[in-house]
Each structure stands twice: as structure tokens, then as C-alpha cells.
Amino acid sequence: MKKLVLLLLLFAVNVNGKCLICESNNVESKYAHIADFVQFRIYGTDSSIVEIKTSLIHCKDCGFAFYKKRFNEDEERKLYDDYRGESYQKLRQKYETWYTKEFNYSLGNSEYEISLRTKHLLNIVRKRNLDIKSLLDFGGDKGQFIPDEFNCKKYVYEISGIKPKEGIISLQKMDGMVFDFIMCAHVLEHVSDPKAVVLTCKAHLVGGGIYI
Ligand SMILES: [Zn+2]
């Protein structure tokens, strides 16, 4: 699991060796190679011809690990546009043979995973007796991880362009909007600036709102 998380932490503008989270300089840097698939998808170059190098930085203070090379907004879009769509899957399987059509489909669509995650979230909300009127799942795919039991306005903020589930409104912009409850799962490891995403979510919460 730890390995997978590290492999996903592929992003950034120049960070000058400072920790992206706690800004500590107490970091250790190691040579790293960008995944061949990611390199081709973003830069259109094959790593067997041109290798784009980076470093894996590990913060000794907070434990966060990330790649020094961070993607800009345009590069992030190139990677996540039609995320897990047909062309994404085909290209990825070309570089990573295990990434089959079936495997691709299973991600985010497994009944078991959905029920586990929604149950967990329901428990948290019920324990705290929260009255949620508007909920946002930031980077929430089709909105399948929002429990059906929540009787509130439901939104996802999603850049992939995927069609949301019935009853869910997909947003590409959140200008002027606020929510009582914002959830954000399996997202921070995919973005260039995780701290900025947390601060953005905070800015879109009503006073006393919950971010999880
Ligand atoms: Zn740190």
C-alpha cells in the first residue's frame, strides 16, 4: 500500500527540496524515475528515448514523501482527462501490462469498496449527529461514494469529465459555493499541491462545516 501511494505521488512545480506539507528542510532526496505511462501521457515522449528525471523527497519531520517534479494545471489535465476511459486504459496497458480493461473497470466500481467506504462515512456522520444540507465530494468521480442515506444536496467536483450518478451534480467550478460537509478521499496524492487543495476546500465550507 505504501509503495502504491509513493508511486502515485508523482507531481509538482519546483519545490526546492522543502516539504510540501510542513515546509521543513529536513528532507532526504533520492533518484526517481517517472512512470513510463505517465511520461508518455503528459509529455508525449517515450522514456526509452528520453528519460525525464526527478527525485523522490522524503520529509524526516512529518513523513510525507513526494516527487520533486510537480505537474502544472495543464499537465494535470492531460493525465486525468477521461481518467480511466478507453484511451487511458489502452495506453496504460501498453506500458503496464497488468492494467487490463477488467482491472480498470474494477477501480471505483467495486460494490464491496463502495459499501465499505459509505458505511464508514455514515458511521462518522451518525456518531456526531451531523445535520448535512449540502455535501461535496471533492474529486469524487461519479459520486458513488456519497451514501444514498444522506438526504441533502449532493455535488462532486471532478475534472475528468465523467458523467455523475443520478441525483449528483458535477461541478467543474465552485465559485461562490459553500457546503456543510466536504469529503475528499484518494485525491491528495494525485494533485500537485495537496495543501492548496485542503485550503480550497476549507474556503468552501460554511462556518462550523466539516472536512474529512
Ligand atoms: Zn514535512
Side-chain angles (χ1 to χ4, degrees):
M1 189 60 193
K2 208 168 185 182
K3 233 180 197 172
L4 180 69
V5 170
L6 290 179
L7 283 171
L8 287 169
L9 292 170
L10 290 165
F11 322 102
V13 200
N14 211 330
V15 291
N16 298 321
K18 257 191 184 179
C19 174
L20 276 185
I21 303 299
C22 73
E23 295 178 12
S24 164
N25 287 311
N26 188 15
V27 294
E28 180 174 62
S29 174
K30 284 183 182 161
Y31 166 79
H33 173 91
I34 293 182
D36 300 337
F37 159 72
V38 174
Q39 176 173 326
F40 193 84
R41 177 120 168 141
I42 294 181
Y43 306 106
T45 56
D46 200 288
S47 56
S48 61
I49 301 163
V50 192
E51 189 196 357
I52 300 176
K53 291 177 182 153
T54 187
S55 309
L56 181 64
I57 300 177
H58 176 226
C59 173
K60 291 186 183 170
D61 286 338
C62 77
F64 191 69
F66 58 98
Y67 285 100
K68 187 172 179 182
K69 179 148 192 62
R70 312 302 296 172
F71 296 153
N72 62 34
E73 214 174 295
D74 184 44
E75 291 164 346
E76 251 183 24
R77 281 197 186 266
K78 278 186 189 162
L79 183 59
Y80 293 113
D81 185 45
D82 190 27
Y83 189 47
R84 294 183 183 147
E86 205 184 326
S87 63
Y88 175 97
Q89 184 275 322
K90 276 190 177 157
L91 181 70
R92 189 153 175 190
Q93 193 176 11
K94 188 183 152 196
Y95 287 99
E96 300 170 19
T97 50
W98 51 271
Y99 200 90
T100 61
K101 224 172 165 177
E102 295 69 30
F103 179 78
N104 185 52
Y105 180 76
S106 74
L107 297 169
N109 289 305
S110 140
E111 290 294 327
Y112 175 70
E113 185 193 355
I114 293 171
S115 97
L116 207 69
R117 280 175 58 177
T118 49
K119 249 187 225 163
H120 183 60
L121 196 68
L122 268 173
N123 275 341
I124 293 172
V125 170
R126 284 180 178 155
K127 255 189 202 164
R128 285 162 185 79
N129 222 356
L130 300 173
D131 178 26
I132 302 170
K133 291 183 187 73
S134 60
L135 177 150
L136 173 77
D137 189 352
F138 189 97
D141 199 22
K142 302 185 277 285
Q144 69 271 42
F145 296 108
I146 301 174
D148 291 332
E149 288 84 346
F150 288 168
N151 188 19
C152 64
K153 283 202 166 173
K154 299 166 185 171
Y155 302 88
V156 285
Y157 173 81
E158 181 57 49
I159 64 164
S160 70
I162 199 163
K163 195 173 167 245
K165 212 180 117 173
E166 208 190 314
I168 312 276
I169 301 164
S170 186
L171 305 171
Q172 296 247 325
K173 278 186 180 170
M174 302 192 292
D175 299 356
M177 298 186 76
V178 284
F179 310 90
D180 306 298
F181 190 94
I182 301 182
M183 53 194 266
C184 178
H186 300 276
V187 170
L188 297 180
E189 71 272 30
H190 292 272
V191 297
S192 281
D193 190 347
K195 215 167 159 181
V197 168
V198 175
L199 292 174
T200 297
C201 288
K202 192 180 170 196
H204 288 276
L205 272 181
V206 297
I210 305 274
Y211 169 82
I212 182 163

